[in-house]
Amino acid sequence: MSEPTQSSDEGSGPEPDSGAGVLRAFGRQLKRFRVRAGMERAEFGERLGYSVSTIAVYEQGRRVPPPEAIDQADELLDAGGVLKEMKEEVERAQFPAFFRDAARLEAEAVELHVYANQAVPGLLQTEEYARAVFRMWRPLLEEETIAQRIAARLARQDIFARRPRPHLSFVIEEAVVHRRIGGEGVWRGQLKQIMLIGQARNVDIQLMPLRGAEHAGLAGPFTLMETKDRRRIAYTEVQSDSRLHTERSRVRELEATYGCLRAQALTPQESLALVEKLLGER
């Protein structure tokens, strides 16, 4: 999918999901090169470091192989770069269609600011919390889709290890950290993750207090991004209906809203203290 070029508030909205087609096409190519090389799945899997069943689901287009596996396969099968050329599209295919452009922009962002009011933002989620979230999705997701989306969500968290470090901030409704999604153990693990990430120098996590008399974010969640070429973009999503906003006036409105939210929220220190208090309660 190419970068969105709209300069107005046109939505990307629901669209046909081309991800499955990309994975099937990649799987067919992978199998074609393996057969041409005269390798059975068992031998190929052994040399690549994967089980026969894993190679099978890759060839069937039912799971996204990691980038390093694609590089290894291309060299091992003497594919001449054909598999490597598909790597970016395969990587994008792991995201639901409505999030693909936003995921790419997020990965390039030098600044990222998130307001969340329903669940812990994906960038902060533990694997267990993400699994609980996806299992609650309606209509129900297939187990393979859940596994794929968990892997994609965790891969997004590479942003925390990037150099130079991007500036990341989150304003999260206090109710979110009280909600025990996945049960007590998953909830406590998620709070510990928030505490850990919140201590990074380039990350600010703030909670919007339940007892606050003022609230600038009642219109819903959103994300603000600034790219390395200084473009400022906003992303909004509700019920899988997503929009990338590039029109400066609209982005400026949401930037002003986020500024108000940060002023109305608890400070990062107060927020982490509240999370620590919740962890100490039994």
Side-chain angles (χ1 to χ4, degrees):
M1 183 183 299
S2 61
E3 179 178 333
T5 57
Q6 68 264 24
S7 58
S8 64
D9 289 344
E10 296 177 11
S12 54
E15 60 182 271
D17 190 347
S18 61
V22 169
L23 292 180
R24 285 194 295 269
F26 175 82
R28 286 194 297 268
Q29 291 279 35
L30 180 64
K31 182 178 180 179
R32 183 174 294 115
F33 282 114
R34 176 180 63 77
V35 172
R36 190 192 69 172
M39 288 190 200
E40 296 294 331
R41 279 180 179 162
E43 179 188 357
F44 180 52
E46 183 178 357
R47 295 179 66 177
L48 205 60
Y50 293 92
S51 67
V52 174
S53 59
T54 299
I55 298 301
V57 294
Y58 288 163
E59 291 185 349
Q60 293 159 8
R62 293 162 51 203
R63 187 176 300 173
V64 179
E68 59 273 16
I70 296 177
D71 289 338
Q72 287 178 286
D74 191 280
E75 295 172 7
L76 184 60
L77 300 176
D78 193 24
V82 172
L83 298 178
K84 289 182 179 181
E85 287 175 359
M86 299 181 70
K87 186 165 60 175
E88 183 176 343
E89 285 303 310
V90 168
E91 185 176 4
R92 283 164 57 77
Q94 66 190 317
F95 298 105
F98 63 83
F99 187 66
R100 285 188 194 129
D101 283 318
R104 182 179 53 77
L105 290 167
E106 176 186 88
E108 299 170 357
V110 296
E111 285 195 23
L112 189 74
H113 308 289
V114 179
Y115 167 57
N117 64 359
Q118 297 295 328
V120 173
L123 285 175
L124 301 179
Q125 289 180 10
T126 64
E127 180 176 349
E128 295 77 14
Y129 187 96
R131 180 173 291 105
V133 169
F134 287 128
R135 284 185 178 276
M136 295 176 192
W137 201 285
R138 296 298 184 272
L140 292 172
L141 299 175
E142 296 293 335
E143 287 300 322
E144 288 178 357
T145 301
I146 291 174
Q148 178 178 311
R149 293 195 179 180
I150 290 172
R153 183 154 292 183
L154 297 179
R156 290 170 54 203
Q157 296 175 5
D158 288 347
I159 193 171
F160 293 110
R162 263 183 32 205
R163 295 292 185 274
R165 295 183 180 184
H167 177 208
L168 309 170
S169 74
F170 303 84
V171 176
I172 307 170
E173 289 296 321
E174 182 185 339
V176 167
V177 298
H178 286 277
R179 189 171 294 128
R180 287 164 165 76
I181 289 177
E184 186 78 12
V186 172
W187 171 72
R188 294 183 66 82
Q190 181 58 68
L191 293 188
K192 291 177 182 178
Q193 173 101 323
I194 290 172
M195 289 288 298
L196 178 64
I197 296 176
Q199 293 171 19
R201 292 172 54 202
N202 62 317
V203 179
D204 291 321
I205 299 176
Q206 295 178 255
L207 298 181
M208 195 67 176
L210 285 169
R211 296 185 178 184
E214 296 183 346
H215 197 310
L218 298 180
F222 58 90
T223 298
L224 298 169
M225 295 176 272
E226 182 173 343
T227 64
K228 56 187 175 183
D229 56 358
R230 298 188 177 181
R231 287 181 302 148
R232 294 185 176 181
I233 299 163
Y235 173 76
T236 59
E237 178 192 319
V238 61
Q239 295 294 329
S240 300
D241 183 8
S242 64
R243 296 184 178 217
L244 279 172
H245 304 273
T246 56
E247 187 178 78
R248 186 64 193 126
S249 60
R250 178 57 177 150
V251 175
R252 189 181 293 115
E253 288 175 359
L254 289 172
E255 287 174 339
T257 298
Y258 194 75
C260 290
L261 283 169
R262 293 203 69 178
Q264 294 165 353
L266 301 177
T267 67
Q269 293 75 19
E270 292 168 339
S271 299
L272 293 184
L274 176 54
V275 173
E276 187 174 20
K277 179 182 178 183
L278 288 173
L279 275 169
E281 293 177 356
R282 292 287 182 179

